[in-house]
Amino acid sequence: KDQTPYRNDERERVKKCGAAVMSVDQMEGNEPMHENWGDLDLGVDIDLEGKPPRVWAKGENYPGCAFTRSIGDYIADKIGVHAEPEMLTREISRNDEILVIASDGIFEFLTNQAVIDMCAECDSPLEACERIVKASYSQWMHYEDRTDDITAIVCFMQCDSQETKEEKDTTMRLVVGNGVENPRRKPKATGTRHERSLSLYEKKDDLDDVQDLQVDQSYTS
């Protein structure tokens, strides 16, 4: 989750460090003081009103951060807006196909799912990055007369199809002879790697001079 004053745990943490949390309207006296910020979950929801709770030094009109963690902000660091990250460990599975690392400006008007959906329609990470940044810029120009930082890194992750236990436990019996490619090289034929290995084996009957060779599965899979 994003580290912002919308989160009750982050809001209470900076307040314990001496910060005051309020919107610009509250700070200027145009709105009553409250902490009823709703259940907005940035990344899933979009803040279209643009009046988020901000972090201030008590009695001052600075720094006014709409985030609760930051790198290199000397003043804000004194009231709890520090650079200590929240660590989340996740085991990558075969179902994880797209990784996006982006600055908060990307997600100001784009949800997490919208970003992933755009990436899924692209043929390359570069195309995905360009599309995300352009979409973000367009949204900023629609809702504001400025843009925030909009930087993105996209990685397309791929893994081989799941091999069966039988395929893992079996030692393929390949043949090496005239006209047969070295089994230690990656076959150039089409089809799955298991099918290509079998196609080499089936050529045994067509060879005049055949030498049997036990090859570990790892050379063909």
Side-chain angles (χ1 to χ4, degrees), residues 42-110:
L42 295 179
V44 177
D45 305 313
I46 300 297
D47 179 15
L48 295 179
E49 293 186 4
K51 298 180 179 180
R54 296 177 178 271
V55 181
W56 311 85
K58 283 186 177 180
E60 305 293 345
N61 62 353
Y62 63 82
C65 302
F67 44 83
T68 53
R69 305 197 187 210
S70 178
I71 298 175
D73 196 321
Y74 177 75
I75 295 177
D77 183 81
K78 296 180 178 179
I79 52 175
V81 185
H82 54 57
E84 181 180 342
E86 289 184 300
M87 303 301 293
L88 173 65
T89 300
R90 169 176 174 151
E91 182 176 348
I92 301 298
S93 73
R94 293 177 180 273
N95 295 323
D96 295 309
E97 300 179 355
I98 301 172
L99 173 65
V100 177
I101 304 173
S103 58
D104 62 331
I106 291 289
F107 300 102
E108 186 75 19
F109 301 109
L110 298 175

